[in-house]
Amino acid sequence: MSDSGTVTKLLGHTDSYYAASANGAPFYGALEGDIEADVCIIGAGYTGLSSALHLAERGFKVVVLEAERIGWGASGRNGGHVGVGQRKGQEDLEKMLGLETAKALWDMGLEAVQLVEELIRKHDIQCDMKRGIMHLAAKPSHDAWLREEVELLNERYGYQQMRYADKSEVRSLVGSDRFHGGQIDDGSLHLHPLNYALGLADAAASAGVEFYEYSRVTSYRGGSPCVVNTAKGRVRARNVILACNGYLGDLEPRMAGRIMPINNFVLATEPLPEDLARELIANDYALQDTLFVINYWKLSGDNRLVFGGGENYTSRFPQDIRAFVRQYMLEVYPQLADTRIDYGWGGTLAITLNRMPSIGRLEPNVYYSQGYSGHGVPTATFAGKILSEVVAGTEERFDILARIPTRSFPGGTLLRWPGLVAGMLYYSLKDKLGH
């Protein structure tokens, strides 16, 4: 049961609106005994699912091992935003990597969104896909930055699907006086993230991928072949892909220090009357603000407000997630004070120091992708395609992503947490003070 008393439709998942409105999924049993594969993928989130599907379409025999259920982690719990670009802005990428690489990454970001839409249409994935994202200035100083970014993307990158909206236009589209302007991006999407993940899994299974749930990997080693161990089974494979992201744990110390798992929280209201739903979001776009710890929200397929706000950096979730997130929602929409909150849930994602994905190769036949920093729906889906390319022998685009510098957190896995908390609290305080 969910904490609202609603029966969770998809057993084994967190008690979220997404699980309660999931399309349903077959149960894949745990791995028992020894099997062989061309590629063994550890983790059945977007990275693992996309890798598996693209590799199977190339003719590889693929096995996916998942510690819980398919889409159980951040891939089944996130805000469902499918935004263009990277988590880092293009101006910052130009300074960090140069114009040529920044433009290559921009093109990949566009392709990532297009890939999500293509997969949904090709495989008839029912996931409430809608078009459009608005990025809203939470402070007066952010308004100029959003306007300048639109000009940069229009002029230097030729991206004409985004435009600037002033405060009065934003107010006409968003039922809140909180924002000072914004970007309206018609090239982005939003969707039901768990149903999208389950649809990818169905497509991959139809292409011949073997899935094993409740098959936590206890250890692995590279070599010829690689060997991946679970409690009751073992996979021998020519290649291994680590697709664990925020749930990597201590499985692979060589890459664990490059990411920091953090927890983010979401609520879903009761279904809203049509007039109230349109008052909140007139164009039915997904919305996000410019705070360091961002708020993000959208309307579900049945007119619930799905609102994400607040995060923490411990191993525990707030005792009352609905109340925890509700305070952020009411800062944006005080008119929802009497609206019932039906669901509240949390999930763990992974961030990197520079907010760019950490993608690479640990050994000649061991690959990984992680650290999407809140931009995971398109980026992880695209990363899966890139990983399939490099396993198949095409390394050009993989090399571009692998060359992005992703330093380890200071102190590695032992001391990264205190430094991150101090930094996050500093920027959260700046948000609260309006700086």
Side-chain angles (χ1 to χ4, degrees):
M1 302 283 288
S2 78
D3 55 4
S4 68
T6 303
V7 176
T8 299
K9 181 176 180 180
L10 201 61
L11 297 178
H13 280 258
T14 189
D15 295 334
S16 69
Y17 163 71
Y18 296 136
S21 56
N23 293 330
F27 173 71
Y28 297 96
L31 176 66
E32 297 185 5
D34 290 4
I35 61 174
E36 296 186 355
D38 296 321
V39 186
C40 179
I41 298 172
I42 305 173
Y46 299 137
T47 305
L49 295 170
S50 177
S51 298
L53 174 58
H54 285 98
L55 284 163
E57 290 177 339
R58 289 174 175 266
F60 289 87
K61 180 182 179 183
V62 182
V63 167
V64 178
L65 302 178
E66 167 55 46
E68 302 289 343
R69 300 292 311 273
I70 290 169
W72 178 87
S75 295
R77 310 186 195 191
N78 64 82
H81 293 208
V82 190
V84 299
Q86 304 292 335
R87 179 64 174 82
K88 199 89 167 173
Q90 288 305 120
E91 187 173 19
D92 289 335
L93 290 176
E94 290 177 12
K95 294 175 182 176
M96 182 169 62
L97 302 169
L99 180 59
E100 182 179 355
T101 300
K103 284 189 171 181
L105 290 171
W106 172 257
D107 290 341
M108 290 184 189
L110 290 180
E111 184 181 341
V113 174
Q114 293 164 3
L115 176 62
V116 171
E117 184 169 8
E118 288 169 4
L119 290 170
I120 290 169
R121 297 193 185 285
K122 177 180 178 180
H123 300 290
D124 193 25
I125 300 174
Q126 301 302 308
C127 61
D128 298 333
M129 185 182 74
K130 304 176 185 178
R131 188 163 298 281
I133 290 179
M134 293 181 62
H135 197 187
L136 306 174
K139 307 175 189 178
S141 60
H142 294 172
D143 183 48
W145 165 61
L146 292 180
R147 185 197 300 263
E148 291 166 3
E149 186 176 54
V150 170
E151 293 173 356
L152 176 73
L153 295 177
N154 289 170
E155 296 170 8
R156 190 175 299 173
Y157 290 84
Y159 185 65
Q160 303 301 321
Q161 292 179 272
M162 182 186 292
R163 66 181 181 84
Y164 171 78
D166 64 17
K167 184 172 184 175
S168 63
E169 183 177 4
V170 167
R171 181 61 184 86
S172 71
L173 295 171
V174 183
S176 176
D177 294 319
R178 185 177 176 85
F179 305 106
H180 304 274
Q183 298 169 339
I184 299 179
D185 179 16
D186 297 327
S188 294
L189 310 168
H190 57 104
L191 46 71
H192 186 303
L194 179 55
N195 278 338
Y196 172 59
L198 297 175
L200 290 179
D202 286 345
S206 296
V209 174
E210 296 180 23
F211 286 100
Y212 296 93
E213 296 179 308
Y214 296 117
S215 299
R216 184 178 300 276
V217 172
T218 56
S219 65
Y220 87 98
R221 64 169 174 81
S224 299
C226 303
V227 178
V228 183
N229 300 300
T230 69
K232 296 182 179 180
R234 179 171 59 179
V235 181
R236 296 177 182 269
R238 288 191 293 161
N239 302 275
V240 168
I241 292 175
L242 296 163
C244 309
N245 202 35
Y247 298 89
L248 177 68
D250 59 1
L251 179 62
E252 180 44 86
R254 288 176 290 179
M255 51 188 270
R258 298 177 190 173
I259 56 173
M260 169 62 73
I262 67 172
N263 304 317
N264 205 255
F265 305 102
V266 190
L267 62 74
T269 68
E270 62 183 315
L272 303 177
E274 184 66 23
D275 58 344
L276 178 56
R278 294 298 155 244
E279 175 190 332
L280 303 182
I281 311 175
N283 56 10
D284 204 12
Y285 280 25
L287 309 177
Q288 59 195 46
D289 66 22
T290 56
L291 293 176
F292 184 78
V293 179
I294 71 167
N295 298 304
Y296 52 91
W297 62 100
K298 65 185 180 72
L299 293 168
S300 67
D302 57 353
N303 265 3
R304 300 172 187 269
L305 186 70
V306 178
F307 191 99
E311 59 189 33
N312 71 16
Y313 320 109
T314 74
S315 59
R316 297 181 179 180
F317 289 179
Q319 186 171 7
D320 187 344
I321 292 176
R322 289 184 293 179
F324 180 79
V325 182
R326 182 176 178 270
Q327 62 184 320
Y328 297 100
M329 180 189 75
L330 292 181
E331 289 177 0
V332 177
Y333 292 127
Q335 64 266 50
L336 297 182
D338 296 326
T339 299
R340 190 179 73 240
I341 309 301
D342 280 352
Y343 303 92
W345 67 95
T348 301
L349 64 146
I351 64 171
T352 61
L353 270 173
N354 63 4
R355 302 302 189 267
M356 290 297 290
S358 174
I359 297 175
R361 180 183 355 226
L362 294 172
E363 299 178 26
N365 52 356
V366 178
Y367 306 90
Y368 67 90
S369 184
Q370 60 179 7
Y372 305 116
S373 303
H375 205 260
V377 185
T379 308
T381 302
F382 183 72
K385 181 178 181 180
I386 296 299
L387 290 169
S388 76
E389 292 177 3
V390 71
V391 169
T394 303
E395 302 192 7
E396 181 180 359
R397 300 205 299 176
F398 173 83
D399 287 344
I400 291 173
L401 295 171
R403 285 196 298 266
I404 298 172
T406 51
R407 294 186 297 113
S408 294
F409 281 84
T413 56
L414 180 63
L415 299 177
R416 63 184 172 176
W417 184 80
L420 176 86
V421 170
M424 292 295 195
L425 292 177
Y426 168 75
Y427 284 108
S428 296
L429 180 61
K430 290 184 69 176
D431 282 348
K432 290 181 172 63
L433 294 176
H435 296 321

